[in-house]
Amino acid sequence: MSGRGGAVLRRSRSENGGRGHHVFTQPVPEDLAALAAVAHAGRLTVHIDRVLQPAEAVDALRLSQTGRVRRKIVLDIG
C-alpha cells in the first residue's frame, strides 16, 4: 500500500504462533483499491465475532465498548 494516506501494515503473531497482518488505512482511493485487489484475490481474511441485525445496533455498540471483543462485529443490512 502506498502509505501516502496513512495506510499502515503491521505484521503480528497470534498466541498460537500463526502470522497475520493488520491494515489500518484512511479512505484514500489508492489504498482502498489496493485492499480491494487483495480481497478480490482471496487473500484477505476478516475474523468475525458475530453478525447482528440493524435493530441490534445499540447492542453492537455496547458490546464493542466492553473491550472484550477480539474480532469484528458485523451489522447485516442486506
Side-chain angles (χ1 to χ4, degrees):
M1 279 180 241
S2 70
R4 291 173 287 165
V8 177
L9 175 64
R10 293 186 185 152
R11 298 172 199 264
S12 64
R13 285 193 185 271
S14 67
E15 291 129 18
N16 61 7
R19 292 184 209 154
H21 303 284
H22 299 275
V23 178
F24 304 93
T25 184
Q26 297 293 317
V28 174
E30 295 85 9
D31 292 343
L32 294 175
L35 281 175
V38 171
H40 185 70
R43 298 184 329 206
L44 180 66
T45 304
V46 178
H47 300 279
I48 298 172
D49 186 271
R50 64 190 72 189
V51 178
L52 300 172
Q53 298 303 309
E56 300 171 289
V58 172
D59 295 333
L61 179 61
R62 287 185 183 135
L63 182 61
S64 72
Q65 293 174 335
T66 65
R68 292 180 286 186
V69 178
R70 298 286 178 222
R71 296 171 182 231
K72 301 298 179 192
I73 300 169
V74 176
L75 288 180
D76 182 1
I77 59 172

